Amino acid sequence: MVKKNIDGSTKLGAKARKAEREREEKAKVAKAIEDAAWEETDKKILQKLKRKEEDEKKKHQAEERRKELKAAYEKEMEILAGKTQQSQKKVTHHQLFLEKERRENALKLEEEQKAKARVNITIQTKDIEENLNRVVLDDSWASNTDQALTVLSGSSTPTGSKISSKTTYTEFESRRLPELKIAKPKMTLSQLKNAVRKEWMRSPENPYNANATAKTTLS
């Protein structure tokens, strides 16, 4: 009976040792897994730290590059500003010269136009006097400019004329002067008035032209 108990104890001891070994193996495996996990975690942490370090390095390099570009840009702008000031001075002198030349030319042109206007006035006055002296007054030629102007103004009508209702020169001028001014805007007032007088000389509205026409018809 004692032997039997000893064998049973031996078997129990073997099972216990086997179970202990299994626990130890499991513990080793678990530790190995845990160590591997920590190692992997450490690698990831190291990779993150490395990437962060590289990012910081890139940022630093980019900042340095930006500063260099800014300094180069500011230097270039200073050079351009100096050139622009010199160019502006040159342009200003050139503009002053051109403005002076333009004013001198304008003054010269104005003087020439005034001289031409004086010549035109002299010539036109002579033509007017010649034309006025040819106006027929009561079947005879007007002897002077005053008589001719009296005829043109319509203040006097031909002796024995029945056309006193005809247009007077004043009415004719007040109507034709604005029309000619629109048609010939470059003409001066004196030129326009001269043109109106010439039209009046030939106009059928002129009582003396009508009188002359009537006499021609009767004859």
Side-chain angles (χ1 to χ4, degrees), residues 147-186:
Q147 289 181 350
L149 287 174
T150 301
V151 173
L152 288 176
S153 65
S155 60
S156 175
T157 56
T159 304
S161 175
K162 297 180 180 180
I163 50 176
S164 59
S165 62
K166 287 287 185 178
T167 305
T168 64
Y169 176 73
T170 303
E171 294 172 346
F172 183 81
E173 183 186 47
S174 63
R175 186 180 75 251
R176 285 295 296 146
L177 194 60
E179 294 174 352
L180 282 178
K181 188 174 183 180
I182 295 173
K184 300 178 180 180
K186 293 184 178 181

Short mmCIF file of all heavy atoms in Angstrom, two decimals, residues 147-186:
data_model
loop_
_atom_site.label_atom_id
_atom_site.label_comp_id
_atom_site.label_asym_id
_atom_site.label_seq_id
_atom_site.Cartn_x
_atom_site.Cartn_y
_atom_site.Cartn_z
N GLN A 147 -24.66 155.21 -98.16
CA GLN A 147 -25.91 155.01 -98.88
C GLN A 147 -26.15 153.53 -99.14
O GLN A 147 -27.27 153.04 -99.04
CB GLN A 147 -25.86 155.78 -100.21
CG GLN A 147 -25.95 157.28 -100.05
CD GLN A 147 -25.92 157.98 -101.40
OE1 GLN A 147 -25.65 157.34 -102.42
NE2 GLN A 147 -26.18 159.28 -101.40
N ALA A 148 -25.06 152.82 -99.50
CA ALA A 148 -25.21 151.39 -99.78
C ALA A 148 -25.65 150.63 -98.55
O ALA A 148 -26.49 149.73 -98.61
CB ALA A 148 -23.89 150.83 -100.30
N LEU A 149 -25.07 150.96 -97.37
CA LEU A 149 -25.47 150.29 -96.13
C LEU A 149 -26.92 150.59 -95.80
O LEU A 149 -27.64 149.76 -95.26
CB LEU A 149 -24.56 150.73 -94.98
CG LEU A 149 -23.14 150.17 -95.02
CD1 LEU A 149 -22.28 150.78 -93.92
CD2 LEU A 149 -23.17 148.65 -94.86
N THR A 150 -27.35 151.81 -96.11
CA THR A 150 -28.75 152.16 -95.89
C THR A 150 -29.65 151.29 -96.73
O THR A 150 -30.69 150.81 -96.29
CB THR A 150 -28.98 153.64 -96.23
OG1 THR A 150 -28.13 154.44 -95.43
CG2 THR A 150 -30.43 154.03 -95.99
N VAL A 151 -29.22 151.04 -97.97
CA VAL A 151 -29.98 150.18 -98.86
C VAL A 151 -30.02 148.76 -98.32
O VAL A 151 -31.06 148.11 -98.27
CB VAL A 151 -29.38 150.20 -100.28
CG1 VAL A 151 -30.07 149.16 -101.16
CG2 VAL A 151 -29.51 151.58 -100.88
N LEU A 152 -28.83 148.26 -97.91
CA LEU A 152 -28.75 146.88 -97.42
C LEU A 152 -29.56 146.67 -96.16
O LEU A 152 -30.12 145.61 -95.93
CB LEU A 152 -27.29 146.51 -97.14
CG LEU A 152 -26.41 146.32 -98.38
CD1 LEU A 152 -24.98 146.06 -97.96
CD2 LEU A 152 -26.93 145.17 -99.22
N SER A 153 -29.60 147.66 -95.28
CA SER A 153 -30.31 147.50 -94.02
C SER A 153 -31.81 147.49 -94.21
O SER A 153 -32.56 147.14 -93.31
CB SER A 153 -29.94 148.63 -93.06
OG SER A 153 -30.38 149.87 -93.58
N GLY A 154 -32.27 147.87 -95.40
CA GLY A 154 -33.70 147.84 -95.66
C GLY A 154 -34.42 149.05 -95.13
O GLY A 154 -35.64 149.09 -95.11
N SER A 155 -33.65 150.05 -94.62
CA SER A 155 -34.30 151.25 -94.08
C SER A 155 -34.84 152.14 -95.18
O SER A 155 -35.64 153.02 -94.94
CB SER A 155 -33.30 152.03 -93.22
OG SER A 155 -32.18 152.41 -94.00
N SER A 156 -34.36 151.92 -96.41
CA SER A 156 -34.85 152.69 -97.54
C SER A 156 -35.33 151.74 -98.60
O SER A 156 -34.73 150.69 -98.82
CB SER A 156 -33.73 153.57 -98.09
OG SER A 156 -34.15 154.23 -99.25
N THR A 157 -36.37 152.05 -99.27
CA THR A 157 -36.92 151.19 -100.33
C THR A 157 -36.91 151.95 -101.62
O THR A 157 -36.92 153.19 -101.64
CB THR A 157 -38.36 150.76 -100.00
OG1 THR A 157 -39.14 151.92 -99.80
CG2 THR A 157 -38.38 149.91 -98.75
N PRO A 158 -36.87 151.26 -102.74
CA PRO A 158 -36.85 151.94 -104.03
C PRO A 158 -38.05 152.85 -104.20
O PRO A 158 -39.15 152.53 -103.76
CB PRO A 158 -36.87 150.79 -105.04
CG PRO A 158 -36.37 149.61 -104.27
CD PRO A 158 -36.83 149.81 -102.89
N THR A 159 -37.82 153.98 -104.86
CA THR A 159 -38.89 154.94 -105.10
C THR A 159 -39.95 154.30 -105.97
O THR A 159 -39.67 153.72 -107.01
CB THR A 159 -38.34 156.19 -105.82
OG1 THR A 159 -37.29 156.73 -105.03
CG2 THR A 159 -39.42 157.21 -106.03
N GLY A 160 -41.19 154.43 -105.52
CA GLY A 160 -42.30 153.90 -106.29
C GLY A 160 -42.42 152.40 -106.22
O GLY A 160 -43.22 151.82 -106.94
N SER A 161 -41.63 151.70 -105.35
CA SER A 161 -41.69 150.24 -105.29
C SER A 161 -42.93 149.80 -104.54
O SER A 161 -43.34 150.42 -103.56
CB SER A 161 -40.45 149.70 -104.59
OG SER A 161 -40.57 148.31 -104.43
N LYS A 162 -43.53 148.70 -105.00
CA LYS A 162 -44.71 148.15 -104.36
C LYS A 162 -44.38 146.90 -103.56
O LYS A 162 -45.27 146.12 -103.24
CB LYS A 162 -45.76 147.82 -105.42
CG LYS A 162 -46.26 149.03 -106.18
CD LYS A 162 -47.30 148.63 -107.21
CE LYS A 162 -47.80 149.85 -107.98
NZ LYS A 162 -48.82 149.49 -108.99
N ILE A 163 -43.09 146.69 -103.24
CA ILE A 163 -42.71 145.45 -102.55
C ILE A 163 -42.10 145.77 -101.19
O ILE A 163 -41.10 145.23 -100.78
CB ILE A 163 -41.71 144.64 -103.39
CG1 ILE A 163 -40.55 145.53 -103.86
CG2 ILE A 163 -42.37 143.98 -104.56
CD1 ILE A 163 -39.48 144.75 -104.61
N SER A 164 -42.72 146.70 -100.47
CA SER A 164 -42.22 147.09 -99.15
C SER A 164 -42.32 145.96 -98.14
O SER A 164 -41.69 145.98 -97.09
CB SER A 164 -43.00 148.31 -98.64
OG SER A 164 -44.39 147.99 -98.56
N SER A 165 -43.13 144.95 -98.45
CA SER A 165 -43.28 143.82 -97.52
C SER A 165 -42.18 142.78 -97.67
O SER A 165 -42.16 141.79 -96.97
CB SER A 165 -44.64 143.14 -97.75
OG SER A 165 -44.71 142.63 -99.08
N LYS A 166 -41.28 142.99 -98.62
CA LYS A 166 -40.18 142.05 -98.81
C LYS A 166 -39.27 142.02 -97.58
O LYS A 166 -39.26 142.96 -96.78
CB LYS A 166 -39.36 142.45 -100.05
CG LYS A 166 -40.05 142.19 -101.36
CD LYS A 166 -40.09 140.71 -101.67
CE LYS A 166 -40.68 140.45 -103.05
NZ LYS A 166 -40.67 139.01 -103.37
N THR A 167 -38.47 140.95 -97.49
CA THR A 167 -37.56 140.79 -96.35
C THR A 167 -36.51 141.88 -96.32
O THR A 167 -35.90 142.19 -97.34
CB THR A 167 -36.86 139.43 -96.43
OG1 THR A 167 -37.83 138.41 -96.53
CG2 THR A 167 -36.00 139.18 -95.19
N THR A 168 -36.29 142.50 -95.16
CA THR A 168 -35.22 143.48 -95.01
C THR A 168 -33.91 142.76 -94.76
O THR A 168 -33.88 141.58 -94.43
CB THR A 168 -35.52 144.42 -93.83
OG1 THR A 168 -35.52 143.65 -92.62
CG2 THR A 168 -36.86 145.12 -94.00
N TYR A 169 -32.81 143.50 -94.90
CA TYR A 169 -31.49 142.88 -94.71
C TYR A 169 -31.31 142.38 -93.28
O TYR A 169 -30.74 141.32 -93.05
CB TYR A 169 -30.38 143.89 -95.04
CG TYR A 169 -29.01 143.32 -94.75
CD1 TYR A 169 -28.47 142.34 -95.58
CD2 TYR A 169 -28.29 143.74 -93.64
CE1 TYR A 169 -27.23 141.80 -95.30
CE2 TYR A 169 -27.05 143.20 -93.36
CZ TYR A 169 -26.51 142.23 -94.20
OH TYR A 169 -25.29 141.68 -93.93
N THR A 170 -31.84 143.13 -92.30
CA THR A 170 -31.69 142.72 -90.90
C THR A 170 -32.35 141.37 -90.65
O THR A 170 -31.80 140.49 -89.99
CB THR A 170 -32.31 143.77 -89.97
OG1 THR A 170 -31.70 145.03 -90.21
CG2 THR A 170 -32.12 143.39 -88.50
N GLU A 171 -33.55 141.20 -91.22
CA GLU A 171 -34.25 139.93 -91.07
C GLU A 171 -33.50 138.80 -91.79
O GLU A 171 -33.38 137.69 -91.28
CB GLU A 171 -35.68 140.05 -91.63
CG GLU A 171 -36.55 141.01 -90.83
CD GLU A 171 -37.89 141.25 -91.52
OE1 GLU A 171 -38.00 140.88 -92.71
OE2 GLU A 171 -38.80 141.79 -90.88
N PHE A 172 -33.01 139.15 -92.99
CA PHE A 172 -32.26 138.16 -93.77
C PHE A 172 -31.00 137.72 -93.02
O PHE A 172 -30.69 136.53 -92.94
CB PHE A 172 -31.89 138.78 -95.13
CG PHE A 172 -31.18 137.82 -96.04
CD1 PHE A 172 -31.88 136.89 -96.79
CD2 PHE A 172 -29.79 137.86 -96.16
CE1 PHE A 172 -31.22 136.01 -97.63
CE2 PHE A 172 -29.12 136.98 -96.99
CZ PHE A 172 -29.84 136.05 -97.74
N GLU A 173 -30.29 138.69 -92.45
CA GLU A 173 -29.05 138.37 -91.72
C GLU A 173 -29.34 137.55 -90.47
O GLU A 173 -28.62 136.58 -90.17
CB GLU A 173 -28.33 139.66 -91.34
CG GLU A 173 -26.99 139.41 -90.64
CD GLU A 173 -26.37 140.68 -90.13
OE1 GLU A 173 -27.10 141.48 -89.50
OE2 GLU A 173 -25.16 140.88 -90.35
N SER A 174 -30.38 137.91 -89.73
CA SER A 174 -30.70 137.18 -88.50
C SER A 174 -31.07 135.74 -88.78
O SER A 174 -30.89 134.87 -87.93
CB SER A 174 -31.85 137.88 -87.76
OG SER A 174 -33.04 137.85 -88.55
N ARG A 175 -31.58 135.47 -89.99
CA ARG A 175 -31.94 134.09 -90.34
C ARG A 175 -30.76 133.31 -90.91
O ARG A 175 -30.52 132.17 -90.55
CB ARG A 175 -33.09 134.10 -91.36
CG ARG A 175 -33.61 132.68 -91.66
CD ARG A 175 -34.73 132.67 -92.66
NE ARG A 175 -34.24 132.89 -94.02
CZ ARG A 175 -34.43 133.99 -94.72
NH1 ARG A 175 -35.10 135.01 -94.20
NH2 ARG A 175 -33.94 134.12 -95.94
N ARG A 176 -29.98 133.96 -91.79
CA ARG A 176 -28.92 133.25 -92.49
C ARG A 176 -27.64 133.11 -91.66
O ARG A 176 -26.88 132.16 -91.82
CB ARG A 176 -28.57 133.98 -93.80
CG ARG A 176 -29.59 133.79 -94.87
CD ARG A 176 -29.66 132.34 -95.33
NE ARG A 176 -28.40 131.92 -95.95
CZ ARG A 176 -27.90 130.71 -95.85
NH1 ARG A 176 -28.53 129.79 -95.16
NH2 ARG A 176 -26.75 130.41 -96.45
N LEU A 177 -27.39 134.06 -90.75
CA LEU A 177 -26.14 134.03 -89.98
C LEU A 177 -26.01 132.75 -89.15
O LEU A 177 -24.97 132.08 -89.20
CB LEU A 177 -26.06 135.27 -89.09
CG LEU A 177 -24.68 135.55 -88.47
CD1 LEU A 177 -23.64 135.75 -89.57
CD2 LEU A 177 -24.74 136.79 -87.59
N PRO A 178 -27.04 132.34 -88.39
CA PRO A 178 -26.93 131.07 -87.64
C PRO A 178 -26.76 129.86 -88.56
O PRO A 178 -26.05 128.91 -88.23
CB PRO A 178 -28.24 131.00 -86.85
CG PRO A 178 -28.74 132.40 -86.79
CD PRO A 178 -28.32 133.02 -88.07
N GLU A 179 -27.43 129.90 -89.73
CA GLU A 179 -27.33 128.77 -90.65
C GLU A 179 -25.92 128.64 -91.21
O GLU A 179 -25.37 127.53 -91.30
CB GLU A 179 -28.34 128.96 -91.80
CG GLU A 179 -29.79 128.90 -91.34
CD GLU A 179 -30.78 129.24 -92.46
OE1 GLU A 179 -30.32 129.67 -93.54
OE2 GLU A 179 -31.98 129.08 -92.24
N LEU A 180 -25.33 129.78 -91.58
CA LEU A 180 -23.96 129.74 -92.10
C LEU A 180 -22.96 129.35 -91.01
O LEU A 180 -21.96 128.68 -91.28
CB LEU A 180 -23.58 131.11 -92.67
CG LEU A 180 -24.12 131.44 -94.06
CD1 LEU A 180 -23.72 132.84 -94.47
CD2 LEU A 180 -23.62 130.43 -95.09
N LYS A 181 -23.24 129.77 -89.79
CA LYS A 181 -22.34 129.42 -88.68
C LYS A 181 -22.28 127.92 -88.48
O LYS A 181 -21.24 127.35 -88.17
CB LYS A 181 -22.81 130.11 -87.40
CG LYS A 181 -21.83 129.97 -86.25
CD LYS A 181 -22.27 130.79 -85.06
CE LYS A 181 -21.24 130.69 -83.94
NZ LYS A 181 -21.64 131.47 -82.75
N ILE A 182 -23.42 127.24 -88.65
CA ILE A 182 -23.46 125.78 -88.53
C ILE A 182 -22.79 125.13 -89.74
O ILE A 182 -22.03 124.16 -89.61
CB ILE A 182 -24.92 125.30 -88.40
CG1 ILE A 182 -25.53 125.81 -87.08
CG2 ILE A 182 -24.99 123.77 -88.45
CD1 ILE A 182 -27.01 125.52 -86.94
N ALA A 183 -23.05 125.68 -90.93
CA ALA A 183 -22.50 125.09 -92.15
C ALA A 183 -21.00 125.30 -92.26
O ALA A 183 -20.28 124.45 -92.78
CB ALA A 183 -23.21 125.68 -93.37
N LYS A 184 -20.52 126.46 -91.75
CA LYS A 184 -19.09 126.79 -91.85
C LYS A 184 -18.57 127.23 -90.49
O LYS A 184 -18.36 128.43 -90.24
CB LYS A 184 -18.87 127.89 -92.89
CG LYS A 184 -19.34 127.47 -94.29
CD LYS A 184 -19.15 128.59 -95.30
CE LYS A 184 -19.62 128.16 -96.68
NZ LYS A 184 -19.43 129.22 -97.69
N PRO A 185 -18.38 126.27 -89.58
CA PRO A 185 -18.00 126.62 -88.19
C PRO A 185 -16.62 127.24 -88.05
O PRO A 185 -16.33 127.88 -87.05
CB PRO A 185 -18.07 125.26 -87.48
CG PRO A 185 -17.85 124.24 -88.55
CD PRO A 185 -18.50 124.82 -89.77
N LYS A 186 -15.75 127.08 -89.05
CA LYS A 186 -14.40 127.61 -88.95
C LYS A 186 -14.31 129.09 -89.31
O LYS A 186 -13.29 129.73 -89.09
CB LYS A 186 -13.46 126.80 -89.84
CG LYS A 186 -13.26 125.36 -89.38
CD LYS A 186 -12.24 124.64 -90.23
CE LYS A 186 -12.01 123.21 -89.74
NZ LYS A 186 -11.00 122.50 -90.56
#
